[in-house]
Amino acid sequence: MAVFSKEEYMERVRRTKEKMNEWGIDLLFISQPANMNYLSGYDGWSFYVHQCLLVSLEQEEPVWIGRGMDANAARLNSILSHDNILEYADDYVQSTVKHPMHYMADVIKKRGWDKGRIGVEMDQFYFTHRAYVELEKSLPDATFKDANTLVNWVRVIKSDAEIGFMKIAGEIAHNVMTAAQEVIAPGVRECDAASAIAAVQYRGTAQHSGDYPAIVPLMMAGEGTKTPHLTWTEKRYENEEAVLLELCGVYKHYHVPIARTMYLGQEPPALMRDTGKTVLEGLSAALDMIKPGVTAEEIEATWRRTIEKTGLVKESRIGYSIGVNYPPDWGEQTISVRPGDKTVVQKNMALHLIPGIWLDDVGFEVDASFYVTDTGIQHFFDYPLEICVKR
Amino acid sequence: MAVFSKEEYMERVRRTKEKMNEWGIDLLFISQPANMNYLSGYDGWSFYVHQCLLVSLEQEEPVWIGRGMDANAARLNSILSHDNILEYADDYVQSTVKHPMHYMADVIKKRGWDKGRIGVEMDQFYFTHRAYVELEKSLPDATFKDANTLVNWVRVIKSDAEIGFMKIAGEIAHNVMTAAQEVIAPGVRECDAASAIAAVQYRGTAQHSGDYPAIVPLMMAGEGTKTPHLTWTEKRYENEEAVLLELCGVYKHYHVPIARTMYLGQEPPALMRDTGKTVLEGLSAALDMIKPGVTAEEIEATWRRTIEKTGLVKESRIGYSIGVNYPPDWGEQTISVRPGDKTVVQKNMALHLIPGIWLDDVGFEVDASFYVTDTGIQHFFDYPLEICVKR
């Protein structure tokens, strides 16, 4: 069974069709797993083979097309009627002679959708160049348009039901960080810490199941703190080293990231303490000004202005929109909090601000995950912001 | 530090260049994370943004290009000299005006590699259609060729060092399945079982760190056993239901999958028992005939001939090659054990045979993960094959 009501999914489809009209698209060909899930409820680790969801302006319900063995999953967990679940044979998989796009193109022709403007997600992983070539070759009467992030932009404002899911994810995130800070200490193996973290991520709470995150625990230690995307090894944590944790809680694929900094030893070095103080001041100023009507770049400007005096410079974006997602990324690929992003913040948007510092001489991470209310923001968790010092 | 010796990586690069010569490629543009890792040691969860590894026939070492914040990771864990680690600025990330391929094309031009035949991985996730379009537009003097699975085919025969890693992964796989069968019982929540499984996957053994799998635990129960790629929820296991487990052990990104079937209750239904018996007989016959010189399709034919008499039919491939991998797939995308695959089995190939049955009335999974020796095969684990019955 799908995790939201059929009405909620059909409302999302309706809003997607509105955007298709705006963008001049008759048939939307969706490959991105989160977008497929968002519009149909379909859920399965089947995205390592080609699959798609079609949204046609001429038909109420979307159509799912995937590998034969996964069709029963679509029947079990999507809101789609069985007529709109279609399967290709297994010899299409990773074949050098057949391609799943040939089957998908045949479906499009049979439904009479091959003469219009077809939107594809041109810069989404899961839509390869070859997929495009085969689709184009098989549908000579179609006009192809770039529909990259079209559905992502439908996702950007969350329903109250989605916010409810994210609150549960926030509770899990809190538990995940608590477990991490409890287990990490000098002498402990990184992999044993990762194990304790994953155990809480998957377990969730007493009431609600956790889910797999779109990004595994990122946990940099020692010289690893110069960079943000390392995982773990059998190495033991040492005395007098910093640990950066970028983790998250997930409920039904809805993500709430949480990032904090630890220091193992007597007292963090002065540079780390000062950097932390600056980042927290900047983050706090940015959070204070967020409400409906401000733009993404204004949030970043507030951050930048606040930290300017200290000489600290951060070149990368300080945040992005979050919600439902699948590997490899929990970012929504819509809002980026950086200069030039003029997106106007609205109620029920959900953001992750993470002004992380990964320099050769110092690393520091802290974040905030929240949604926008009528007048400001509401955090998904309330977790101490300061460096967690452990001996 | 990279996990293999510099010599081992450079030998892989040498064999890649041999294949580039065969395929008529001067510059290889690699996007697939496992291929990047295989040729350079680079490791980081950074593949949610565009990145690449370039292999030129004109230069000994490959070149890594990625996002600025990830360059320090390449400096820490790849064998590349710092001259061959290049970074693009953060405002290229998910931008609507700039594209990381512009930066990468500039590097190719500066190194004088833009006039030749450039091979790209046309059907690999992580190489989007847009990536191709931007690259082609930026390199008008180049001829583009499909180099899909070129490096995958270099990977197909493992070094002894790689087999050593997979033996460790096999040990972890054994522990993972033991933990799963210990925790799963009527009344237990699926998410608590997933938690126990992930804890062992990440922890590894007392000597060796586990790693994140390219596919999370797949654990179908009850009516979920009609399909192979479901994960878990807060649902409690019930009495008289089957559970299919497709799990794995991972060491330094080397995967050894393990799949088994459980039945919760007094005794599995006759259809399940009979299906299990047939599958085990077919699997055993297939394993018995594998040695250097047989072809992939001959393995499948042996399986098919053995089960024929029972009327059981399996339309999907029964196995594939395994080794180093990253999400979303632990399959290597080279050998598929099915009709038409004429790949000749050679020493130090590693395979996963999983003749799974996911039908409306019965599901059954069992597998074997092994490598090929001079005279036959050597299993990566020795785990009971029979249905694990628990009350």
Side-chain angles (χ1 to χ4, degrees), chain B residues 135-361:
Chain B
L135 209 54
E136 195 185 35
K137 210 160 53 182
S138 309
L139 297 170
D141 297 333
T143 309
F144 286 90
K145 298 194 73 167
D146 192 358
N148 200 48
T149 71
L150 187 150
V151 181
N152 305 53
W153 280 105
V154 176
R155 281 162 43 197
V156 80
I157 295 183
K158 274 70 191 166
S159 71
D160 290 341
E162 288 180 288
I163 296 288
F165 276 31
M166 293 182 81
K167 285 179 180 169
I168 297 166
E171 201 184 326
I172 298 172
H174 192 287
N175 295 348
V176 166
M177 187 55 77
T178 305
Q181 295 194 344
E182 263 170 29
V183 68
I184 293 173
V188 170
R189 296 189 309 168
E190 291 175 1
C191 56
D192 291 325
S195 171
I197 292 166
V200 180
Q201 285 182 318
Y202 284 31
R203 177 185 309 127
T205 68
Q207 287 75 43
H208 298 105
S209 169
D211 209 339
Y212 57 86
I215 302 178
V216 296
L218 302 175
M219 31 204 296
M220 288 62 68
E223 70 170 353
T225 60
K226 299 176 187 185
T227 185
H229 298 124
L230 301 180
T231 50
W232 62 88
T233 68
E234 45 270 291
K235 192 179 158 294
R236 288 177 194 277
Y237 291 106
E238 285 171 27
N239 221 340
E240 300 191 358
E241 81 181 359
V243 182
L244 306 185
L245 296 168
E246 189 171 352
L247 312 173
C248 79
V250 193
Y251 180 64
K252 310 288 182 200
H253 302 291
Y254 281 80
H255 286 67
V256 169
I258 185 166
R260 291 293 183 268
T261 297
M262 294 180 74
Y263 184 76
L264 307 180
Q266 203 67 22
E267 194 185 24
L271 178 62
M272 189 176 164
R273 282 200 319 262
D274 292 346
T275 305
K277 195 166 159 273
T278 305
V279 169
L280 278 172
E281 212 181 311
L283 177 61
S284 167
L287 292 170
D288 280 350
M289 60 81 73
I290 300 176
K291 60 180 180 191
V294 306
T295 65
E297 67 175 1
E298 283 164 4
I299 302 171
E300 199 273 348
T302 301
W303 146 268
R304 188 175 291 253
R305 245 190 337 263
T306 310
I307 66 161
E308 212 165 39
K309 56 180 185 281
T310 67
L312 186 70
V313 175
K314 174 164 168 68
E315 292 300 345
S316 47
R317 65 179 183 178
I318 63 160
Y320 46 81
S321 181
I322 48 173
V324 63
N325 245 314
Y326 283 81
D329 190 7
W330 64 46
E332 194 174 62
Q333 296 181 44
T334 50
I335 303 167
S336 281
V337 182
R338 65 182 167 199
D341 193 320
K342 298 188 190 305
T343 311
V344 177
V345 167
Q346 294 174 62
K347 188 184 166 183
N348 275 18
M349 283 182 170
L351 292 171
H352 182 218
L353 284 202
I354 175 164
I357 304 295
W358 306 283
L359 298 174
D360 282 342
D361 52 357

Side-chain angles (χ1 to χ4, degrees), chain A residues 3 43 45 165-176 196-215 248-256 325-326, chain B residues 189-196 198 202 216-217 219 230-235 237:
Chain A
V3 298
D43 182 30
W45 190 288
F165 276 30
M166 293 183 80
K167 285 179 180 169
I168 296 167
E171 202 185 323
I172 298 172
H174 192 287
N175 295 348
V176 166
I197 291 165
V200 181
Q201 285 182 318
Y202 284 31
R203 178 185 308 125
T205 68
Q207 287 73 44
H208 298 104
S209 170
D211 209 339
Y212 58 86
I215 302 178
C248 79
V250 193
Y251 181 64
K252 310 285 181 202
H253 303 289
Y254 281 79
H255 286 67
V256 169
N325 244 314
Y326 283 81
Chain B
R189 296 189 309 168
E190 291 175 1
C191 56
D192 291 325
S195 171
Y202 284 31
V216 296
M219 31 204 296
L230 301 180
T231 50
W232 62 88
T233 68
E234 45 270 291
K235 192 179 158 294
Y237 291 106

